[in-house]
Amino acid sequence: MRKSRKHYELRVLAIRITLIVTDGKADCHTLCPDFYGNQLYTDEVECSFSPDSTNIAVGSSEGMLFITSRRDLSNTRALIIPGIFSPSETKLSSAKAFDFDPRFPNSRIAFGTLNGEIYLIDVSGDHDLKSGYVDCADRGMIQCLRYVPRGRYIAVATSEACIDIYDPDTLSLKLVLDAANQDSVPMEIDRNVYPRFLSMNFTTTGNHMASASTDGIVRVWQLPPDLTLQHLCRQLILTKVKVTEIRKLPIPPKMMLYLLSMTQSTSLSETM
């Protein structure tokens, strides 16, 4: 992406032996109406290739989101905001609040809105289809959204210092990773200037996730390979009992070790 004043230009560059040449370019505001930066130059823009690399999704912190063809940047595949949604109706919650579903070559995308909603959109047919929706406004403002590799879950980082894990089809909440309730380096929430999640990334197996935030901490989380009843029971207990209080519980040692195994592995942190 290249910004000129308040305009953004999308460019695809190709490496030809030792040269880097422009393989395609287009003005974002011609592809997506109202795709402009703000007057303070504090806006952000993110791009993401579809799993098969045929499409490019572009989102901005000003709330716009569209999908264009990789081979012909002037060919807008889907106008999501504005398009399926009017900007007066809702906006993308942040430039990093969208991602392609890795289970589909190029047709399904998930995104979060300023209204605290998560949508699944299918753009494969003649008409864009809202294939999934959940209202999670009570979970806090959506700051970042990413699919776990192979599309097992959708991870959503929020202003409540939590990373919520959703089922990719039903959008039911499966797991909550609470950065404020960590044994080693908890995220301290300031309601006026709270720490913000900047990014999330996963190992190729999807068993571990790293999150970076504006409190200067990179946190490494262990994700469950499968959300079994046993694991869900453990997560329910951990939402009611602080990590520092687990050792005080009147429970068998084996059960205590099981509860602590997740909390210790999810509290691995490094100071940036």
Side-chain angles (χ1 to χ4, degrees), residues 236-252:
L236 180 60
I237 294 173
L238 293 177
T239 61
K240 306 296 183 183
V241 181
K242 291 184 177 180
V243 173
T244 54
E245 301 293 320
I246 291 177
R247 296 184 184 277
K248 300 178 183 180
L249 295 176
I251 56 177

Side-chain angles (χ1 to χ4, degrees), residues 129-204:
L129 174 65
K130 300 176 186 178
S131 58
Y133 159 83
V134 63
D135 187 342
C136 52
D138 60 329
R139 304 296 306 163
M141 190 182 77
I142 299 171
Q143 298 174 339
C144 190
L145 182 151
R146 287 292 179 268
Y147 274 92
V148 176
R150 296 190 296 275
R152 273 191 341 214
Y153 314 121
I154 300 175
V156 178
T158 74
S159 59
E160 295 297 312
C162 290
I163 298 176
D164 298 336
I165 306 297
Y166 291 89
D167 182 277
D169 297 311
T170 65
L171 290 180
S172 57
L173 183 61
K174 295 294 186 181
L175 178 65
V176 177
L177 304 176
D178 189 354
N181 185 25
Q182 290 295 300
D183 201 10
S184 57
V185 189
M187 181 183 285
E188 298 181 7
I189 304 177
D190 185 330
R191 292 301 175 186
N192 295 318
V193 187
Y194 49 78
R196 183 165 65 99
F197 284 103
L198 296 173
S199 63
M200 298 183 291
N201 212 339
F202 302 89
T203 57
T204 54

